[in-house]
Amino acid sequence: MRENQPSVSLSSLPTQNSSFVAHRYVRLLLVAIAIAGCLLAIRAALAYGVAHVFTTYALISGNVAAAQKAIQLTPKDAEAHFADAAVLSASGATDQSLAEINQAVILRPADYRLWWQLGLLRDQTGDTAGALLAFAEAIKRAPYYAQPRWDRGNVLVRSQQYDAGFRDLIDAAQSNPELMPGLIDLAWGLSRGDVKLTEELAQIKTEKMRIAFARILARDGKVLEAIAEFGSPGNIPAALKREMTDHLLAKNAFHEAFEVWKSAHAPSPGNELREAAIYDGGFEGSLSFDEGGFSWRVPRDLQATSISQDPSQPHSGAMSLRIDFSGNSNATLVQLILLEPSRRYRINFAARSQDVVTGGLPYLDVSNASGDLKRLGQSAPLAEGTTNWRPYSFEFTSTPATSAVFLRLQRQTCSMSPCPIFGSVSLDSFSIEQLN
């Protein structure tokens, strides 16, 4: 009955066993290769991580040794060569820096930033042609980035290639509006103060560019030219009017500043917009810490003092100014007044006191707005204790060099320090008159 059982060939057993062993060794070899690959990858990752730490430290601290250690760990890392170039350049090793940035470009030629830095370094060494080639490569790779085009434009302008240079500068400023003032300032300097030539070089056509140019003109005291950018003072944006007024006042261009300031303020009863007049002498308009020019100026850093408009019992109109003192006060109130030299004037106002106690009473004075700030006249001290409205006046003569004065609330010098003051003072009905 055994003839139906399958037979086994003994001769086939060694062959099958050999095949099994071979496959086993192949699998072991593949596993070993995979493990080796993982170890190499881990090692490379660790090297890159450590190199990145050295690179960051080098850029922050300017440590050349740290940058070079990063290169030893990752010699084919463009960022390590870039860091080395940066710290070498900062230390004055320009030639070595150029070699490193060149190596970074070779390792990562698609990075516009590396070409841009190469252009900057070449420009520093006087290699104008090489700088322009590097900037061109940077622009090719990042055509909408402003900085490479801006730097190339500056190199071209310095090389007296003005048309090409300003094309680059204008394109860069259109891409990044923050560069616009620099563009116009450069054109203004190259034109030697020629308004028309500046407009042509910088292509000043938009309102933003006119505003930027007007700021530069005002900074240099060219108020008429600044106004001409807008046709008339009334067309100048309000924020720019304040800037222009401040620039002009800083240069003691009082009459020009007054014209600009006046265009931002509508005349109304009591608010005379003319020379030798006190603006809002009755305190009917709103007070603001931000006001300047020829309005009342209320300082922000008041100590032990509050200033407010008071509708109760004004001397005239609907409001008076109330000043409440509560200690060692540094209260002051200022208005700039435009007037004529070598003329005699009288200041008139009204004041009242409520429970004022102090060793240094308030008073009003007038002083030159420029030069030595010489005091030209002052009022009697305001009354102590409690009083009803009282009229005050005092006279002064402007010097031959006086074109504007400060009218200020001051305090008498005390015999003791600190010198506290308590109570309230109200002011109203300011005016000025010319006597001769």
Side-chain angles (χ1 to χ4, degrees):
M1 303 299 293
R2 296 183 178 179
E3 58 273 11
N4 294 326
Q5 293 180 354
S7 61
V8 177
S9 173
L10 294 177
S11 62
S12 67
L13 289 177
T15 302
Q16 292 176 355
N17 189 52
S18 298
S19 177
F20 173 76
V21 171
H23 284 297
R24 182 181 178 186
Y25 281 125
V26 169
R27 285 196 298 271
L28 288 173
L29 179 61
L30 291 174
V31 170
I33 291 172
I35 292 172
C38 288
L39 291 173
L40 289 172
I42 292 170
R43 181 181 177 184
L46 286 172
Y48 178 81
V50 174
H52 181 69
V53 171
F54 279 115
T55 298
T56 303
Y57 175 70
L59 289 171
I60 293 173
S61 65
N63 189 299
V64 176
Q68 292 175 349
K69 184 63 178 177
I71 293 174
Q72 290 174 10
L73 290 168
T74 54
K76 293 186 178 180
D77 180 16
E79 203 65 28
H81 288 279
F82 168 75
D84 196 25
V87 295
L88 285 168
S89 176
S91 66
T94 307
D95 291 340
Q96 293 172 274
S97 178
L98 268 172
E100 287 299 328
I101 198 67
N102 270 308
Q103 185 61 31
V105 167
I106 292 169
L107 290 169
R108 201 163 66 202
D111 190 337
Y112 91 95
R113 184 175 55 114
L114 299 178
W115 285 104
W116 170 40
Q117 292 299 319
L118 177 59
L120 291 174
L121 274 174
R122 286 177 174 174
D123 182 40
Q124 288 177 16
T125 61
D127 181 7
T128 300
L132 292 174
L133 287 173
F135 286 136
E137 292 294 333
I139 293 167
K140 186 190 301 181
R141 287 158 177 78
Y144 301 108
Y145 279 48
Q147 201 61 52
R149 199 175 292 275
W150 176 263
D151 290 323
R152 185 176 72 174
N154 274 283
V155 172
L156 289 167
V157 168
R158 291 202 307 273
S159 303
Q160 298 184 357
Q161 300 178 57
Y162 298 116
D163 291 341
F166 272 98
R167 278 198 299 271
D168 269 349
L169 295 172
I170 291 167
D171 287 344
Q174 289 175 345
S175 177
N176 180 4
E178 291 182 2
L179 298 172
M180 193 180 297
L183 162 66
I184 298 171
D185 208 8
L186 176 61
W188 178 243
L190 287 173
S191 72
R192 300 180 183 275
D194 186 314
V195 173
K196 293 297 182 185
L197 182 55
T198 300
E199 291 173 341
E200 292 175 9
L201 287 173
Q203 293 294 293
I204 298 174
K205 296 178 179 179
T206 66
E207 183 177 4
K208 286 185 177 180
M209 296 188 80
R210 284 197 298 273
I211 290 173
F213 189 26
R215 285 194 172 104
I216 292 170
L217 290 168
R219 178 199 68 191
D220 291 350
K222 305 285 187 180
V223 63
L224 296 178
E225 292 86 346
I227 292 172
E229 289 296 310
F230 300 93
S232 70
N235 297 330
I236 302 173
L240 180 57
K241 287 179 182 179
R242 288 193 292 271
E243 288 183 38
M244 290 174 64
T245 300
D246 291 342
H247 279 307
L248 293 166
L249 290 178
K251 292 181 174 294
N252 294 334
F254 298 114
H255 289 273
E256 295 86 349
F258 182 75
E259 291 302 316
V260 176
W261 174 85
K262 183 172 70 172
S263 69
H265 295 76
S268 60
N271 293 342
E272 296 182 87
L273 300 178
R274 60 177 178 82
E275 297 183 10
I278 295 177
Y279 181 77
D280 194 15
F283 303 99
E284 305 298 322
S286 60
L287 292 176
S288 171
F289 289 111
D290 297 324
E291 281 295 324
F294 297 82
S295 304
W296 289 111
R297 303 181 186 185
V298 181
R300 286 186 177 276
D301 57 344
L302 290 174
Q303 298 174 9
T305 310
S306 65
I307 296 180
S308 60
Q309 289 170 284
D310 185 6
S312 64
Q313 300 181 347
H315 179 264
S316 61
M319 294 283 182
S320 64
L321 187 74
R322 179 183 174 119
I323 306 171
D324 293 292
F325 302 104
S326 57
N328 190 34
S329 170
N330 66 341
T332 186
L333 184 72
V334 181
Q335 183 167 145
L336 181 64
I337 304 171
L338 194 65
L339 40 72
E340 296 180 24
S342 303
R343 293 286 187 273
R344 189 155 187 82
Y345 294 92
R346 178 186 292 130
I347 299 285
N348 304 299
F349 66 99
R352 64 172 179 158
S353 304
Q354 292 178 274
D355 304 321
V356 173
V357 179
T358 184
L361 286 168
Y363 66 95
L364 275 294
D365 79 353
V366 164
S367 62
N368 276 329
S370 61
D372 57 3
L373 300 178
K374 177 184 177 182
R375 180 181 292 167
L376 303 177
Q378 68 182 73
S379 73
L382 305 188
E384 199 168 7
T386 299
T387 65
N388 292 322
W389 285 108
R390 290 184 179 179
Y392 289 80
S393 66
F394 65 97
E395 298 179 7
F396 67 94
T397 301
S398 59
T399 72
T402 301
S403 57
V405 295
F406 285 123
L407 172 64
R408 303 179 298 183
L409 176 68
Q410 304 272 58
R411 286 186 61 199
Q412 290 179 315
T413 303
C414 294
S415 58
M416 56 182 289
S417 181
C419 181
I421 178 172
F422 300 93
S424 302
V425 167
S426 295
L427 301 170
D428 202 356
S429 305
F430 276 89
S431 65
I432 183 173
E433 55 183 318
Q434 183 175 318
L435 302 179
N436 63 356

